[in-house]
Amino acid sequence: MLDGEIIYLKGVGPQKADVLAKEYDIHTYGDLLEYFPFRMVDRSHISTLDSFNADEPYIVFKGRISELHIVGTGRTTRLEATFTDGTGVMQLVWFQGLKWVKELLQKSQIFIVAGKPSMYGYSLQLVHPDIEIATNDEGTGTHPLMPVYHTTEKSKSKGITSKTFARLTDTLLKQLPAYLPETLPTGTVAKFHLMSRNHALRNMHYPASMEVWQQALFREKFEELFFHQLDYQYSRVSRQHHSVGRVFSVVGEHFNDFYHQHLPFPLTNAQKRVVKEIRHDMKTGRQMNRLLQGDVGSGKTLVALLTILIALDNGCQACLMAPTEILASQHYASFQKMLDGMDIRTELLTGSLKASQKKKIKQRLAEGEIDILIGTHALIEKDVRFKQLGYVVIDEQHRFGVEQRSKLWSKSDIAPHVLVMTATPIPRTLAMTLYADLDCSIIDELPPGRQPIRTTHGTDAQRALLFNFMKQEIAKGRQIYVVYPLINESESLDLKDLMDGYESISRSFPMPQYQLSIVHGQMPAEAKAYEMERFKKGETNIMVSTTVIEVGVDVPNATVMVIENAERFGLSQLHQLRGRVGRGGGQSYCILMTKDDLGTTSRQRIETMCNTTDGFAIAEADLRLRGPGDLQGLQQSGMLELKLADIVDDEPLVRATRDEVRSILESDPDLLQPGNEPLRSYINQSKNATRWDKIS
Ligand code: ADP
Ligand code: MG
């Protein structure tokens, strides 16, 4: 019944069916049933214009239109209507959809209007109110609560309004079978006192009371989050139960030799714990997919190296992928330094090598003459073949597309173990949902002796002060980063900002007393590497750059990070940048330069940065201030597709569904028990093509 085509529903001709499909992705009866209203208007609580409570967020009136004008021209064109209920008057205003609203209003009948009250001068007005002709027919009039559906301008202009949805769902509900089957396990429904699906779907549209609607809404949100969790967790569990991984049974010579003879400093407790977790995964015979989260500077590289040594001890090769050439070379250099005196063959493969060099590396790799290969995405080109690839470490995951990672899969007959390292802390709620399919390790401790970075906010007016401060730090032998946003590498405007800034700095910091470096995306790779190298060696005092240095660069002597146009960066990005300093022993500083007049959100973000250095707290704030859509790397996640639930507001529900799914899968990993039938059939039908188990 529910998969019947919508065109066969009474009241939907071909034209309406077309709009429903194009504007709302509604093709079947089921789709319509699950197109839920976002609000209920309580028609039994009608206010009057002589006595209403202006503080209420949403008020309902009943009356008629006395005047109707189109006012203004161009972009400011609006429709103004004077509304009266006999006790007073108010203005209704529309800026969009003027044509259909006007047609509706001209019908000169009694209307129910509802919306958020606002004052315009001394008179009350409702902007873009919900409006319906007050009727008692068509079924909907008999319900005390009127559902309000989101509608698009295009749809309204073609005659499909919120009211149309109300009427269509009413028709649909009347012909539904008496019982709609349950989709959640009976145990779960009972445990959380959920309304049955049969009741919930009906009460989402026509509830008997607000309370009943809330219960239905709760059930539907629960269901949405539950199945999201099931998608991700099921793939993880089935991978754990069924996938074959290499067994790294020994910790051998390489690891032990390094650990006892070459370790540059004692591991932090967090590093020790995480190495153990990875080590454990590698023994199980299942393929590891682990996410390693650790704030900038928490020492993830060392964890990568130690676990790579375990792979080598078990006769495998390993590779380490970084998002940029600079980072790859830096990893290569630090690996070489740490592995000095050990018999381990490490190579660097990047796009800028000469063809002949590349060829040689590839040959040696295929013959098993290279143990550790470090590089950028050049590593995943088709013609890169390993003899025995057992372990892949991916640094700074958000820069790596899902597609790129999937290519790794074909590099080995048995899937290699995968460790994805990220310094972008992921808020707890998101981690619970997004990475429900990855096992997660967290380094929540910085190496000893780090002083918290001092962060301040400055504006152009304080530039002279800033330059003075920079000079003082340089006089102490410190180095400084000055970073400009470059949102789009090809944006010439952004580049101009950088160049102007560079010039002004050159004027205040003249040669030969001061030496400057500059790095930006449009420079050739060698030139970038050369400048980075000079800065790293301490030959230059100031590094002026775009965000190419954003991830991973390690220059312990740099203690000042100046971020220009800081309001243009996201919080997580600012946090990443700030993490470039504070790596040596000395007191470090981060100065956020912005224009004078900041909007509220920008101001809040800058304040957050000044007040905390905790990456997780910052990630949470970012999520709250900007919503999940703006967080890095989330575009490819299903979290943006949630229709009802909100991962910030519904955090307790996210938690509850995660735990419930987890406990179901723990006792019944293949979902074969009788109570779990609906879940089994959901999995069997699941059309979800981009499963993470097929990706990494
Ligand atoms: P990230 O997690 O940001 O990749 P890195 O691995 O680059 O951090 O480490 C940051 C700095 O901390 C490096 O200079 C590294 O040598 C140093 N470091 C790492 N582990 C320790 C430790 N256990 N004790 C002291 N310093 C450490
Ligand atoms: Mg790093």
Side-chain angles (χ1 to χ4, degrees):
M1 156 72 202
L2 286 184
D3 46 23
E5 280 179 51
I6 196 70
I7 194 165
Y8 299 118
L9 186 69
K10 184 167 162 280
V12 178
Q15 232 177 347
K16 282 208 172 72
D18 190 50
V19 179
L20 288 174
K22 285 199 182 120
E23 293 291 300
Y24 303 98
D25 208 15
I26 294 176
H27 307 272
T28 64
Y29 287 10
D31 293 342
L32 178 66
L33 193 59
E34 294 194 6
Y35 190 72
F36 298 130
F38 67 98
R39 176 184 285 147
M40 289 289 158
V41 173
D42 189 348
R43 286 194 267 207
S44 61
H45 281 99
I46 290 179
S47 302
T48 53
L49 282 162
D50 61 349
S51 67
F52 63 91
N53 178 359
D55 294 332
E56 293 224 7
Y58 194 79
I59 315 188
V60 187
F61 299 99
K62 186 174 183 176
R64 52 182 83 242
I65 304 293
S66 59
E67 274 179 60
L68 197 57
H69 300 288
I70 293 215
V71 194
T73 51
R75 282 169 141 231
T76 63
T77 311
R78 61 195 185 274
L79 178 67
E80 289 186 0
T82 307
F83 173 93
T84 171
D85 66 353
T87 71
V89 292
M90 71 170 164
Q91 292 295 315
L92 308 180
V93 184
W94 283 268
F95 296 95
Q96 281 176 319
L98 309 191
K99 192 162 158 274
W100 79 265
V101 181
K102 197 168 166 217
E103 274 165 26
L104 177 73
L105 296 185
Q106 278 166 342
K107 293 186 177 159
S108 95
Q109 307 190 32
I110 302 205
F111 293 96
I112 305 260
V113 303
K116 182 180 159 28
S118 59
M119 297 306 284
Y120 186 75
Y122 288 105
S123 69
L124 178 69
Q125 74 170 12
L126 301 183
V127 178
H128 278 237
D130 297 318
I131 182 157
E132 301 291 350
I133 298 172
T135 49
N136 285 315
D137 57 344
E138 297 172 298
T140 62
T142 57
H143 295 279
L145 295 177
M146 177 175 78
V148 183
Y149 299 82
H150 280 298
T151 48
T152 63
E153 288 309 319
K154 194 156 188 191
S155 149
K156 282 184 278 201
S157 72
K158 299 205 164 158
I160 297 190
T161 63
S162 171
K163 177 90 172 192
T164 317
F165 276 108
R167 201 176 56 232
L168 293 178
T169 41
D170 186 60
T171 309
L172 176 60
L173 287 176
K174 282 182 179 140
Q175 61 189 74
L176 277 187
Y179 177 75
L180 297 169
E182 186 50 68
T183 43
L184 291 170
T186 26
T188 304
V189 174
K191 184 166 157 194
F192 292 90
H193 309 288
L194 299 176
M195 187 182 269
S196 70
R197 171 165 180 262
N198 187 40
H199 269 104
L201 284 175
R202 298 166 206 269
N203 283 302
M204 279 301 282
H205 299 276
Y206 289 107
S209 67
M210 283 294 191
E211 212 186 355
V212 171
W213 183 50
Q214 287 305 325
Q215 286 165 9
L217 193 58
F218 182 82
R219 141 96 213 194
E220 290 301 320
K221 280 185 184 176
F222 188 98
E223 177 171 338
E224 179 171 50
L225 290 169
F226 181 95
F227 282 103
H228 182 88
Q229 286 292 330
L230 187 67
D231 272 339
Y232 282 74
Q233 289 196 40
Y234 180 78
S235 64
R236 180 178 69 188
V237 169
S238 61
R239 188 175 61 230
Q240 285 174 347
H241 281 259
H242 304 295
S243 80
V244 183
R246 292 182 191 276
V247 182
F248 291 167
S249 53
V250 299
V251 168
E253 197 190 326
H254 291 315
F255 183 96
N256 285 323
D257 184 21
F258 180 79
Y259 196 84
H260 297 295
Q261 315 288 337
H262 298 265
L263 203 60
F265 17 64
L267 297 185
T268 62
N269 287 327
Q271 284 170 321
K272 280 187 202 157
R273 189 187 65 237
V274 168
V275 170
K276 263 196 206 129
E277 286 167 357
I278 297 170
R279 159 98 192 91
H280 173 80
D281 279 5
M282 291 173 156
K283 284 196 285 206
T284 58
R286 293 181 219 118
Q287 186 232 351
M288 173 178 84
N289 260 293
R290 192 168 271 280
L291 178 73
L292 173 57
Q293 288 191 66
D295 220 333
V296 269
S298 61
K300 295 186 290 296
T301 318
L302 196 53
V303 170
L305 177 61
L306 282 163
T307 50
I308 282 175
L309 293 177
I310 298 176
L312 304 195
D313 279 340
N314 288 273
C316 284
Q317 294 166 297
C319 73
L320 171 61
M321 259 198 290
T324 63
E325 294 214 357
I326 292 180
L327 276 170
S329 344
Q330 195 165 312
H331 279 315
Y332 177 67
S334 73
F335 268 43
Q336 276 197 317
K337 193 165 147 207
M338 287 195 278
L339 296 174
D340 188 33
M342 290 179 68
D343 184 20
I344 291 174
R345 296 155 300 179
T346 307
E347 283 297 339
L348 176 68
L349 182 68
T350 59
S352 59
L353 285 186
K354 288 199 200 87
S356 59
Q357 293 172 306
K358 279 190 204 163
K359 198 171 155 207
K360 189 142 181 239
I361 289 182
K362 286 174 194 168
Q363 213 167 7
R364 290 176 53 216
L365 189 69
E367 282 160 15
E369 285 168 17
I370 293 173
D371 302 307
I372 305 174
L373 186 65
I374 298 176
T376 56
H377 45 266
L379 288 194
I380 56 174
E381 277 166 22
K382 253 216 192 85
D383 58 344
V384 179
R385 287 188 205 91
F386 291 81
K387 180 154 189 243
Q388 184 87 296
L389 178 63
Y391 184 35
V392 177
V393 181
I394 301 175
D395 195 12
E396 310 296 355
Q397 143 274 342
H398 63 268
R399 292 285 174 110
F400 251 95
V402 166
E403 234 173 88
Q404 292 172 312
R405 260 190 276 163
S406 69
K407 290 194 187 161
L408 275 172
W409 198 251
S410 58
K411 297 252 167 247
S412 173
D413 47 347
I414 300 180
H417 296 299
V418 177
L419 181 71
V420 174
M421 305 197 293
T422 176
T424 311
I426 297 154
R428 272 167 300 129
T429 19
L430 277 182
M432 267 190 281
T433 41
L434 273 184
Y435 294 111
D437 71 323
L438 292 181
D439 296 302
C440 212
S441 290
I442 295 180
I443 305 189
D444 49 6
E445 180 188 357
L446 293 178
R450 300 268 171 88
Q451 289 183 41
I453 300 162
R454 275 190 215 152
T455 305
T456 49
H457 176 202
T459 61
D460 260 333
Q462 290 142 319
R463 193 159 296 275
L465 277 175
L466 171 68
F467 282 178
N468 269 341
F469 172 71
M470 286 165 65
K471 283 180 181 160
Q472 281 169 25
E473 286 295 301
I474 292 173
K476 290 188 208 154
R478 303 299 193 188
Q479 288 166 282
I480 297 173
Y481 292 105
V482 180
V483 175
Y484 285 81
L486 189 63
I487 308 308
N488 183 345
E489 295 271 330
S490 62
E491 276 288 344
S492 45
L493 240 178
D494 283 340
L495 199 58
K496 186 172 176 302
D497 263 5
L498 172 82
M499 286 313 191
D500 290 350
Y502 178 71
E503 254 172 46
S504 125
I505 293 170
S506 324
R507 259 178 272 126
S508 300
F509 295 83
M511 294 222 283
Q513 194 186 351
Y514 297 100
Q515 298 290 329
L516 309 187
S517 282
I518 181 165
V519 168
H520 60 79
Q522 293 182 1
M523 281 163 65
E526 307 92 75
K528 277 192 238 175
Y530 174 76
E531 286 296 331
M532 282 307 306
E533 201 47 42
R534 288 208 315 144
F535 187 65
K536 217 174 158 177
K537 284 196 197 134
E539 291 170 12
T540 55
N541 311 107
I542 304 178
M543 161 62 73
V544 181
S545 81
T546 57
T547 46
V548 286
I549 62 151
E550 181 184 338
V551 278
V553 176
D554 193 16
V555 181
N557 191 46
T559 53
V560 182
M561 168 63 67
V562 180
I563 304 176
E564 295 287 346
N565 302 327
E567 72 275 12
R568 291 177 58 191
F569 289 93
L571 274 185
S572 301
Q573 237 181 337
L574 290 174
H575 180 65
Q576 291 284 314
L577 286 169
R578 180 167 61 183
R580 298 303 114 214
V581 296
R583 306 196 142 213
Q587 175 64 54
S588 291
Y589 304 87
C590 174
I591 296 135
L592 305 171
M593 297 298 287
T594 68
K595 55 184 182 182
D596 283 308
D597 49 334
L598 285 181
T600 326
T601 314
S602 300
R603 191 162 290 280
Q604 273 175 306
R605 285 170 40 204
I606 300 290
E607 273 166 19
T608 305
M609 286 303 296
C610 294
N611 294 336
T612 179
T613 50
D614 174 347
F616 283 91
I618 287 168
E620 295 276 344
D622 209 10
L623 181 64
R624 269 163 223 283
L625 291 173
R626 300 199 300 168
D630 284 320
L631 285 190
Q632 290 176 12
L634 290 193
Q635 279 72 4
Q636 59 193 5
S637 81
M639 286 319 290
L640 300 176
E641 287 158 28
L642 289 178
K643 287 192 294 188
L644 292 172
D646 176 306
I647 47 167
V648 179
D649 295 345
D650 296 318
E651 181 176 337
L653 211 48
V654 171
R655 213 173 273 282
T657 51
R658 176 201 57 177
D659 294 345
E660 178 66 1
V661 168
R662 184 182 287 168
S663 84
I664 290 173
L665 287 172
E666 255 162 32
S667 61
D668 184 17
D670 291 312
L671 300 170
L672 298 172
Q673 283 165 20
N676 294 331
E677 266 155 26
L679 307 187
R680 181 73 253 165
S681 55
Y682 170 82
I683 291 291
N684 289 343
Q685 290 169 17
S686 181
K687 295 180 204 106
N688 192 347
T690 46
R691 277 287 192 42
W692 285 56
D693 54 348
K694 300 195 189 86
I695 289 163
S696 47

